[in-house]
Amino acid sequence: MTNAAVAGVGMHPFGRFPEASLKDLVRTAVVRALDDAGLGTKDIQAAYSSNGMGGLLQGQEQIRGQSVLREVGIEGIPIVNVENACAGGSTAFREAVIAVQAGVVDTALAVGFEKMFVEDRNRTLAALETAADLDVVSGLGLQFTAVYALRLRKRLDEGSLTVDDCVQAAVKSHYNGSLNPNAQHRKEVTPEQVLASRPIAEPLTLLMCSSICDGAAAVVITRSDKVPTGHPRVTVRASAAASGTSWSANPQPTSAERCARSVYEQSGLGPEDLDVAEVHDAMAPGELLYYEQLGLCEPGGAADLLRSGATALTGRIAVNPSGGLSSRGHPVGATGLAQIAELTWQLRGEADGRRQVDRPRIALAQNSGGWLEGESAACNIHILERVDPWN
Amino acid sequence: MELNPALDWAPTAERPRFDPAGHRLTGSRCTACGATSWPARAVCQQCGQAATETAQFGPAGTLISFTTVWVPRPGLEVPYTLGQVVVEGGPAVFGHVRGLPADARTPFRVTLRIAADDVVPPFWFEPA
């Protein structure tokens, strides 16, 4: 199997951009990624395009990838349209990695984009609801804030997490986001502000939650022996994907737990080897649940891990240095690729805004999406490695 | 493995989902391994056999998690409470919970109610 490497990454900042179309968002992300890689559009041999809601929100139900990529002159090559709810970006990344690893192409592009701000917010909320089985959720008012709240409630009732832990996770997320020029939410918040912000789905308050967001991210993947020079080399050390399973009376490992086990097996690495991670915290306290599912701590140990400072920017394993979904922003189809962009910058030592962690070598990205009555519908986990030594 | 029985299931739109008289959910149970599902499925998710048959769940249930939602949606006044309930004899399902005491903690005994008319939501849970 050929090794795959991340040759270039780029983002359109996340936030509210009423003047920008899907094509505009993609233009910025793709041009920046190609520029970062030192490659041109004609070097791309295949593209994997991720978008969640452009059909319902913009009416472009089909060939979304082909329609947006023509803006930057990418056409003629195979373009695969990927949709996996909030995990679409990492799904596109994984497919591009597999194409390179298999030797089908030398250079592939993964691009994710989303435009969630439309004139009527109810259209966006209704579109988000389609990340669950409509036979089950229609008319119930399912919101992903409620999904996270339901997951947290069990832990609060058990006593293994407190509301204060949820607040502290949000404070950490906003702090990191405040340092990220690409983030949607770039203001530090105090615990008092988090608690006093309006209730969304108890125990979650507004400042614990990601919000409606526009944005795009792109990643150029090449054979690791064909990475253009100019940056420290970042390779894809492991890739795993899973879908969710139904509720069972005998608790089953979650898709994130199954993916984590797989990437650790593939790489021969363990959670203790990770230096930095981007995890799927659509609501900031979700980060705590993933500490445990990724093995960063023992089951029940998430609150202690957060309080220890180990997951802060200066900690042993910095988690969500970008601010995560809840502060960097969560334009659904772009999120998984924004995680790869952040980790690539971190591994190269190029993260700006004082959020660079200290000489990381191994990074993990976890991106989950959709909902099957408790479990995420899709999950992808990748491990990236900086091959070149730090000076 | 014999999968052809899956072809004999009624179209999903024609399968009953509720037993209004008994205030139960109508789903499926696998005759081979016992796994349950709501709504009904043609093939078992646990053992992979097309050995599922129609089954009734509830009306008793155990609330295992809940949240009070404050973001309005068309047709839904806030606040409303969403919960996850393990329905007796069946799987965990997701639905509205009405009349939950302010100090309720999980696990909490609830009972299923099926709406008499064609309304949204078509079912909900109440304290037992």
Side-chain angles (χ1 to χ4, degrees):
Chain A
M1 187 174 78
T2 307
N3 276 329
V6 176
V9 297
M11 281 179 67
H12 184 291
F14 286 4
R16 184 168 191 269
F17 300 97
E19 74 292 349
S21 66
L22 291 176
K23 290 181 182 179
D24 295 323
L25 298 171
V26 164
R27 171 160 49 94
T28 300
V30 169
V31 167
R32 286 181 173 170
L34 285 168
D35 182 57
D36 187 55
L39 295 173
T41 56
K42 299 305 176 192
D43 296 313
I44 301 298
Q45 297 166 324
Y48 296 81
S49 166
S50 160
N51 172 267
M53 296 175 284
L56 286 168
L57 297 182
Q58 281 80 37
Q60 184 73 50
E61 176 62 30
Q62 303 182 65
I63 60 158
R64 280 174 235 164
Q66 286 91 332
S67 67
V68 295
L69 286 171
R70 64 195 319 201
E71 160 71 5
V72 288
I74 293 178
E75 57 186 29
I77 59 169
I79 296 176
V80 179
N81 289 286
V82 170
E83 186 284 300
N84 235 348
C86 307
S90 57
T91 305
F93 179 70
R94 178 174 151 82
E95 294 303 317
V97 166
I98 289 172
V100 170
Q101 287 174 335
V104 175
V105 296
D106 288 345
T107 304
L109 173 73
V111 59
F113 51 94
E114 206 75 57
K115 194 168 169 55
M116 297 167 69
F117 279 104
V118 295
E119 70 292 344
D120 175 7
R121 192 178 65 142
N122 282 319
R123 288 182 56 219
T124 305
L125 293 179
L128 283 167
E129 191 175 290
T130 68
D133 181 351
L134 291 178
D135 277 352
V136 173
V137 302
S138 270
L140 295 182
L142 171 80
Q143 315 195 15
F144 275 77
T145 51
V147 169
Y148 278 75
L150 287 167
R151 291 171 180 161
L152 290 164
R153 162 71 64 179
K154 295 176 193 174
R155 302 294 301 272
L156 295 175
D157 279 5
E158 277 170 25
S160 58
L161 287 178
T162 66
V163 172
D164 184 59
D165 297 325
C166 299
V167 170
Q168 293 301 335
V171 169
K172 168 182 170 294
S173 158
H174 280 265
Y175 174 74
N176 293 357
S178 77
L179 303 176
N180 183 355
N182 285 314
Q184 179 178 25
H185 300 295
R186 278 177 281 171
K187 281 190 187 144
E188 283 188 68
V189 297
T190 65
E192 295 72 27
Q193 287 173 314
V194 174
L195 268 178
S197 62
R198 65 185 169 87
I200 299 294
E202 294 173 4
L204 297 170
T205 63
L206 182 68
L207 290 176
M208 296 181 194
C209 300
S210 64
S211 36
I212 288 172
C213 190
D214 304 334
V219 177
V220 178
I221 298 104
T222 64
R223 294 168 57 110
S224 64
D225 57 0
K226 293 199 173 174
V227 185
T229 52
H231 302 284
R233 195 158 44 136
V234 172
T235 59
V236 182
R237 181 85 185 252
S239 169
S243 64
T245 55
S246 301
W247 182 89
S248 162
N250 311 309
Q252 303 294 311
T254 66
S255 50
E257 287 168 330
R258 285 180 283 131
C259 285
R261 191 179 303 163
S262 174
V263 292
Y264 294 145
E265 264 177 28
Q266 289 173 42
S267 63
L269 300 169
E272 66 282 359
D273 296 309
L274 305 177
D275 300 308
V276 59
E278 285 278 320
V279 308
H280 195 88
D281 66 329
M283 317 304 149
E287 176 177 324
L288 298 164
L289 305 180
Y290 287 123
Y291 289 170
E292 298 177 13
Q293 296 189 30
L294 299 174
L296 307 187
C297 62
E298 295 296 308
D304 285 342
L305 186 69
L306 176 72
R307 290 177 202 147
S308 75
T311 57
L313 283 178
T314 52
R316 169 172 57 80
I317 169 172
V319 176
N320 289 349
S322 69
L325 282 64
S326 54
S327 291
R328 180 193 58 232
H330 182 28
V332 167
T335 284
L337 291 160
Q339 292 180 325
I340 300 296
E342 175 68 15
L343 294 176
T344 300
W345 287 320
Q346 291 286 349
L347 291 171
R348 290 173 177 173
E350 296 173 359
D352 50 11
R354 292 183 292 122
R355 72 181 196 287
Q356 176 66 49
V357 307
D358 183 31
R359 292 174 295 168
R361 209 175 64 78
I362 303 291
L364 179 145
Q366 175 251 330
N367 183 207
S368 295
W371 187 75
L372 295 171
E373 296 108 82
E375 159 76 305
S376 298
C379 180
N380 297 289
I381 297 185
H382 290 91
I383 291 182
L384 305 182
E385 177 177 17
R386 177 189 167 112
V387 180
D388 300 315
W390 283 89
N391 292 322
Chain B
M1 196 172 289
E2 181 58 66
L3 281 176
N4 284 336
L7 303 176
D8 298 331
W9 271 83
T12 57
E14 292 173 15
R15 296 177 200 167
R17 293 159 54 100
F18 305 106
D19 165 24
H23 290 284
R24 295 185 297 178
L25 296 176
T26 302
S28 61
R29 178 180 289 110
C30 178
T31 58
C33 77
T36 55
S37 179
W38 184 84
R41 302 186 200 195
V43 178
C44 176
Q45 71 275 15
Q46 185 164 279
C47 70
Q49 304 222 41
T52 54
E53 63 177 20
T54 300
Q56 312 291 341
F57 311 130
T62 305
L63 182 69
I64 57 172
S65 190
F66 64 95
T67 180
T68 300
V69 178
W70 292 87
V71 178
R73 297 288 301 279
L76 284 176
E77 281 183 25
V78 293
Y80 59 91
T81 298
L82 292 170
Q84 194 179 13
V85 175
V86 180
V87 185
E88 190 171 68
V93 301
F94 173 80
H96 282 226
V97 187
R98 296 179 183 170
L100 198 63
D103 60 351
R105 289 172 68 88
T106 55
F108 188 91
R109 299 293 299 173
V110 292
T111 189
L112 180 65
R113 305 295 297 174
I114 309 291
D117 308 318
D118 191 15
V119 295
V120 172
F123 67 98
W124 65 91
F125 297 93
E126 295 174 352

